[in-house]
């Protein structure tokens, strides 16, 4: 099994799906000759031509709306939003329209589109190249929201997203693109949407996470193992629909739960997970559910010490787990 | 256009007006929750459809398209079921406002996903892009009002469609009001069609009271679209005879003289006069056309009134694909 990066996994999934299905095409800013600002689409215009790899004008509403129209009319568009921070003009078409197409037409039309969205911070991106935007979309029934952390999951989930008959927001954490490497089999495989995975088994504390900071949780777990704290790390992978079964099974085993995400704490996914645990596993708990998450400031600052203050880190996570384990 | 064509359009306009008046009346009686009337837009809508192929083409309508729906073969009963939010309504299972949702594709490609103005323009462009990619020769018509022309998405849609020479007709029904805001407060130009220039496509402004002029303009736009030359902006200037919707009171913002003025010319009696003068219409035929419209609408009213409201038995369905993650059905 070759070891590849997340960005290579994304690119491989795109290429293979374009080869497999002629209705798959891509649109977005600078995705043609430039290959995308992160090179996710590098080489694809050469292979598939400018008819199927469409450089759009700099207009995000059109990327969302045109992808939606094409999806409703039998195609499987994969649109790229250059940075999550620029997705807001497309929200009208994605949350407002695409999410409601199946319901609002009583099933007469569907919108099998994928919106690939590089998101997240820790990349010196400042206020407008670091945003976590997942809750806005994960709140909306009708959408599916996927946030892989590893190359294996990124490739397998992107393939599932492209084959899915509903609109999927596919979140790619920018910092994982080249930082995170992993084994990916040569052959064809997919990873199912809506299924979380225990990335590290443990018996003392459950830590639920996704995206970049999932790796920080795994680092913290490795550190704590040496201290005799056995941490189980659950990777949500899909943020809507949530795989609450996997989360609850883990919590029932460990009796202690923590949620870690980079997104702001109040109103984040962690609140929903904590509520699900309180609702269905209250009697299994030996401690309050805890959260490590982004602080209550509007966005991630640019300067390195300020950025570090915002980001969860393996150290911050380990410190919080120690407290929870000792409770 | 033959006399038969003109008569056919006249018949649809009369039916639309009769149905529209009935729905408005039912709203005033508390039986229909909300209505956006097409009165004043009938000639423009019927003329446009006459130039298109209901089987071949795709229609991204907005809420004021009662005549368009009739001209495309949706029945008065189906439309009334929608206005009363009854079972059997053909667009959304009565989940949506009247005229919103989608008709079964096997029958007609008529779509109106939402109430949010101008969203349909970008969607229509995406639809046309898909047709072009597959080499299918079809026209997609995006209907919108003068108000919707101010939305940023309208700009994005026209720009993209023109870049890619997509087979789209942007059909603007300019009734000179966006709810209460007159054209002079919406734009500092006289003609919406003039904007087409800025996108590198033809724009044509026509009298939307003249169905033949609309037919010709839309026909030319369809030929251009089908030959791969790209989109056209067609602006049909019309009047909105009634308030914006049944919840609106136009006397708050339209002076009495204006309200009187706009009704001095009505495209339906004008059509009647034209047909009578050419000898295509006499008293007997006109009585038949108006009488049958009245009969059809009466019967549809009775049937729609007797239809049940949909039960919430499939309330949780069609959120996600059947059997897919998140599906609750
Ligand atoms: C984006 C958006 N903003 C506001 C509204 C509320 N609204 C509904 S119709 C309308 C006026 C639309 O005017 P126009 O496009 O000229 O169409 P008309 O009703 O005159 O046919 C407004 C403001 C809306 N539906 N969508
Ligand atoms: Mg108007």
């Amino acid at each position: 099994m070759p070891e590849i990066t997340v960005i290579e996994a994304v690119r491989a999934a795109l290429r293979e799906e374009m080869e497999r299905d002629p209705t798959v095409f891509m649109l977005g800013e600078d995705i043609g000759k430039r290959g995308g600002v992160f090179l996710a689409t590098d080489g694809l215009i050469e292979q598939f031509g400018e008819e199927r790899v469409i450089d759009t004008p700099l207009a995000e509403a059109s990327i969302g709306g045109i992808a939606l129209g094409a999806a409703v009319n039998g195609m499987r568009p994969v649109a790229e939003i250059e940075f999550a921070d620029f997705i807001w003009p497309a929200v009208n078409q994605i949350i407002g329209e695409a999410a409601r197409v199946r319901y609002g037409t009583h099933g007469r039309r569907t919108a099998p589109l994928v919106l690939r969205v590089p998101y997240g911070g820790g990349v010196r991106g400042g206020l407008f190249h670091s945003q976590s935007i997942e809750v806005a979309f994960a709140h909306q029934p009708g959408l599916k929201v996927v946030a892989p952390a590893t190359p294996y999951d990124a490739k397998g989930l992107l393939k599932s997203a492209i084959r899915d008959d509903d609109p999927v927001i596919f979140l790619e954490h920018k910092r994982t693109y080249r930082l995170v490497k992993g084994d990916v089999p040569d052959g064809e495989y997919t990873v199912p949407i809506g299924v979380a995975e225990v990335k590290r088994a443990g018996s003392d504390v459950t830590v639920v996470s996704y995206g970049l900071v999932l790796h920080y949780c795994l680092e913290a777990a490795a550190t704590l193992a040496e201290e005799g704290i056995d941490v189980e790390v659950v990777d949500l992978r899909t943020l809507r629909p949530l795989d609450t079964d996997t989360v609850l099974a883990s919590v029932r085993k460990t009796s202690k739960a923590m949620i870690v995400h980079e997104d702001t704490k109040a109103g984040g996914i962690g609140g929903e997970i904590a509520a699900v645990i309180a609702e269905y596993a209250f009697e299994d708990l030996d401690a309050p559910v805890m959260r490590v998450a982004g602080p209550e400031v509007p966005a991630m600052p640019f300067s390195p010490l300020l950025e570090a203050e915002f980001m969860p880190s393996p150290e911050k996570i380990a410190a919080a787990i120690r407290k929870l384990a000792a409770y | 256009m033959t006399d038969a064509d003109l008569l056919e359009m006249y018949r649809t306009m009369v039916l639309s007006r009769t149905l529209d008046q009935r729905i408005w009346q039912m709203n005033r009686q508390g039986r229909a929750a909300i209505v956006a009337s097409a009165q004043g837009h009938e000639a423009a809508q019927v003329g446009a459809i006459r130039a298109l192929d209901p089987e071949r083409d795709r229609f991204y309508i907005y809420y004021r398209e009662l005549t368009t729906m009739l001209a495309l073969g949706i029945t008065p009963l189906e439309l009334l079921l929608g206005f009363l939010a009854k079972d059997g309504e053909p667009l959304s299972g009565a989940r949506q406002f009247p005229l919103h949702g989608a008709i079964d594709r096997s029958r007609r490609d008529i779509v109106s996903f939402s109430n949010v103005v101008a969203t349909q323009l970008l969607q229509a462009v995406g639809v046309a892009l898909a047709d072009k990619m597959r080499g299918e020769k079809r026209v997609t018509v995006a209907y919108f009002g003068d108000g919707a022309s101010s939305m940023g998405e309208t700009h994005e849609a026209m720009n993209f469609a023109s870049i890619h020479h997509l087979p789209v007709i942007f059909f603007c029904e300019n009734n000179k009001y966006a709810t209460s805001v007159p054209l002079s407060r919406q734009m500092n130009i006289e003609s919406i069609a003039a904007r087409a220039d800025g996108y590198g496509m033809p724009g044509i402004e026509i009298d939307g009271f003249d169905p033949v002029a609309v037919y010709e303009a839309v026909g030319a736009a369809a030929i251009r679209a089908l030959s791969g030359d790209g989109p056209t902006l067609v602006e049909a200037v019309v009047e909105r005879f009634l308030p914006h919707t049944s919840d609106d009171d136009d006397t708050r913002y339209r002076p009495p003289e204006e309200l009187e003025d706009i009704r001095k010319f009505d495209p339906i009696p004008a059509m009647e006069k034209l047909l009578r003068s050419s000898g295509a219409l006499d008293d007997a035929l006109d009585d038949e056309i108006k009488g049958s419209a009245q009969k059809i609408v009466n019967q549809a009213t009775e049937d729609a009134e007797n239809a049940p409201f949909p039960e919430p038995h499939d309330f949780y369905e069609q959120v996600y694909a059947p059997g897919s993650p998140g599906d609750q059905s």
Side-chain angles (χ1 to χ4, degrees):
Chain A
M1 289 216 299
E3 189 178 75
I4 63 172
T5 60
V6 169
I7 195 79
E8 287 166 340
V10 167
R11 196 184 302 132
L14 291 172
R15 173 175 285 120
E16 289 173 27
E17 290 306 293
M18 295 268 287
E19 284 169 350
R20 187 186 61 80
D21 180 352
T23 68
V24 177
F25 75 99
M26 299 189 309
L27 68 164
E29 294 160 12
D30 307 301
I31 67 165
K33 284 197 182 132
R34 176 66 180 80
V37 290
F38 299 102
L39 298 179
T41 56
D42 189 27
L44 298 183
I45 195 168
E46 286 79 5
Q47 184 176 349
F48 299 104
E50 59 180 24
E51 232 98 279
R52 289 180 71 196
V53 181
I54 302 173
D55 268 328
T56 64
L58 211 172
E60 279 75 13
S62 78
I63 295 173
I66 290 166
L68 171 54
V72 167
N73 190 9
M75 303 299 281
R76 289 192 176 265
V78 182
E80 178 175 303
I81 298 291
E82 200 154 75
F83 287 81
D85 310 65
F86 312 136
I87 202 170
W88 307 115
V91 160
N92 192 32
Q93 290 289 342
I94 298 304
I95 296 179
E97 308 277 313
R100 298 157 212 247
V101 161
R102 187 185 286 276
Y103 197 75
T105 65
H106 210 222
R108 290 187 180 86
R109 298 290 189 284
T110 59
L113 66 89
V114 177
L115 213 60
R116 290 185 37 250
V117 189
Y119 78 111
V123 293
R124 300 295 312 287
L127 270 65
F128 298 100
H129 294 81
S130 304
Q131 291 172 24
S132 291
I133 49 105
E134 53 267 37
V135 284
F137 298 89
H139 182 66
Q140 180 58 47
L143 294 181
K144 291 170 179 165
V145 181
V146 176
T150 66
Y152 182 90
D153 287 346
K155 185 175 177 193
L157 278 164
L158 184 49
K159 284 176 160 251
S160 293
I162 292 170
R163 298 176 195 187
D164 199 280
D165 289 331
D166 295 310
V168 180
I169 310 299
F170 191 84
L171 298 168
E172 302 167 8
H173 198 292
K174 302 193 292 287
R175 181 119 172 92
T176 67
Y177 268 155
R178 288 175 175 76
L179 187 71
V180 178
K181 299 190 176 70
D183 290 339
V184 172
D186 277 324
E188 158 76 17
Y189 73 94
T190 57
V191 172
I193 292 174
V195 181
E197 186 181 56
V198 175
K199 284 281 198 295
R200 183 190 201 281
S203 55
D204 295 334
V205 174
T206 293
V207 175
V208 180
S209 189
Y210 58 92
L212 171 70
V213 296
L214 181 273
H215 298 284
Y216 296 172
C217 294
L218 290 169
E219 271 184 56
T223 305
L224 294 169
E226 290 164 22
E227 300 171 21
I229 302 172
D230 191 15
V231 180
E232 175 147 308
V233 180
V234 177
D235 181 1
L236 285 174
R237 301 198 292 193
T238 296
L239 307 181
R240 173 175 278 274
L242 281 171
D243 177 3
T244 53
D245 289 350
T246 299
V247 171
L248 290 170
S250 176
V251 173
R252 290 194 175 112
K253 185 172 79 172
T254 63
S255 302
K256 289 182 176 173
M258 172 179 294
I259 305 104
V260 179
H261 53 62
E262 176 183 326
D263 193 9
T264 308
K265 186 191 262 186
I269 298 287
E272 178 62 22
I273 299 283
V276 166
I277 294 170
E279 205 168 339
Y280 300 104
F282 181 73
E283 316 229 304
D284 296 289
L285 287 175
D286 284 341
V289 179
M290 290 174 60
R291 286 174 291 170
V292 174
E296 299 300 314
V297 296
M300 197 175 300
F302 177 57
S303 200
L305 300 183
L306 306 182
E307 184 181 70
E309 179 67 18
F310 188 111
M311 286 295 288
S313 65
E315 296 72 32
K316 291 180 196 172
I317 295 165
I321 296 174
R322 274 188 206 101
K323 268 196 213 157
L324 180 57
Y327 185 90
Chain B
M1 254 194 193
T2 64
D3 279 346
D5 288 323
L6 295 173
L7 272 173
E8 192 61 38
M9 290 201 291
Y10 176 61
R11 192 181 282 278
T12 305
M13 287 162 68
V14 168
L15 180 60
S16 180
R17 180 67 62 87
T18 310
L19 179 61
D20 201 299
Q21 285 167 340
R22 171 61 50 83
I23 299 165
W24 197 266
Q25 182 187 42
M26 291 175 86
N27 167 269
R28 292 316 190 220
Q29 296 165 338
R31 294 191 285 172
I34 175 117
V35 191
S37 163
Q39 292 184 41
H41 289 234
E42 295 99 335
Q45 293 181 14
V46 83
I49 294 301
R50 204 77 200 160
L52 298 161
D53 182 341
E55 309 253 330
R56 176 198 65 198
D57 298 333
R58 309 186 188 279
F59 304 88
Y60 275 63
I61 63 164
Y62 79 116
Y63 48 79
R64 214 176 284 292
E65 302 300 328
L66 189 74
T67 321
T68 298
M69 291 298 260
L70 289 169
L72 287 170
I74 311 306
T75 69
L77 174 58
E78 289 175 304
L79 294 164
L80 268 170
L81 288 168
F83 279 96
L84 299 189
K86 293 290 185 78
D87 213 10
E89 176 282 337
L91 286 145
S92 75
R95 286 172 176 164
Q96 292 225 51
F97 267 18
L99 302 183
H100 288 81
I103 294 290
D104 276 332
R105 205 200 297 265
S106 55
R107 183 174 167 205
R108 291 281 184 264
D109 199 358
I110 306 175
V111 168
S112 171
F113 290 138
S114 87
N115 296 75
V116 185
V117 305
T119 49
Q120 71 276 18
L121 277 78
L122 280 171
Q123 293 156 12
V125 170
V127 163
L129 176 67
D131 281 338
K132 188 183 176 200
M133 289 175 91
R134 289 193 297 255
E136 287 182 29
K137 293 249 173 269
R138 299 174 195 275
V139 181
T140 299
V141 191
Y143 291 83
F144 62 110
D146 48 291
S149 81
S150 295
M151 294 286 289
E153 293 193 5
T154 301
H155 158 69
E156 292 189 23
M158 291 180 181
N159 188 43
F160 191 96
S162 190
I163 292 169
H164 292 274
H165 309 290
L166 297 181
V168 180
I169 299 173
F170 295 103
F171 189 73
C172 181
E173 294 171 48
N174 177 5
N175 59 19
K176 304 161 207 161
Y177 275 89
T179 309
S180 69
V181 181
L183 220 52
S184 61
R185 289 282 162 181
Q186 298 187 55
M187 57 197 74
N188 190 26
I189 50 174
E190 297 292 323
S191 157
I192 294 168
R195 291 185 185 159
D197 231 14
Y199 300 105
M201 67 175 165
I204 173 164
E205 182 189 325
I206 35 160
D207 176 2
F209 279 167
D210 179 353
V212 178
V214 177
Y215 163 83
E216 281 165 0
V218 171
I223 289 170
R224 182 176 142 82
L226 291 169
S227 12
D229 294 337
T232 303
L233 171 54
V234 177
E235 175 189 0
V237 181
V238 297
E239 293 291 350
R240 195 190 76 199
F241 285 166
L242 292 181
H244 172 61
T245 68
S246 49
D247 290 340
D248 181 33
D249 172 6
D250 56 1
T251 62
R252 292 175 66 92
Y253 54 86
R254 293 187 94 160
E257 320 78 66
E258 183 180 308
L259 284 169
E260 206 175 294
D261 231 36
I262 58 169
R263 292 200 183 83
K264 283 197 183 129
F265 188 93
D266 185 324
I268 298 178
M271 187 78 164
E272 180 188 333
K273 217 165 120 190
L274 183 84
L275 286 165
R276 281 181 185 275
S277 71
S278 76
L281 188 71
D282 57 17
D283 283 346
L285 183 54
D286 198 47
D287 286 350
E288 185 272 314
I289 288 173
K290 286 173 178 159
S292 102
Q294 202 55 250
K295 240 170 78 188
I296 290 168
V297 168
N298 286 345
Q299 185 63 51
T301 306
E302 195 184 319
D303 293 348
E305 292 268 26
N306 290 333
F309 289 112
E311 298 284 341
H313 61 84
D314 66 352
F315 185 86
Y316 291 98
E317 289 176 29
Q318 297 113 18
V319 178
Y320 295 105
S324 111
D327 179 31
Q328 307 156 77
S329 61

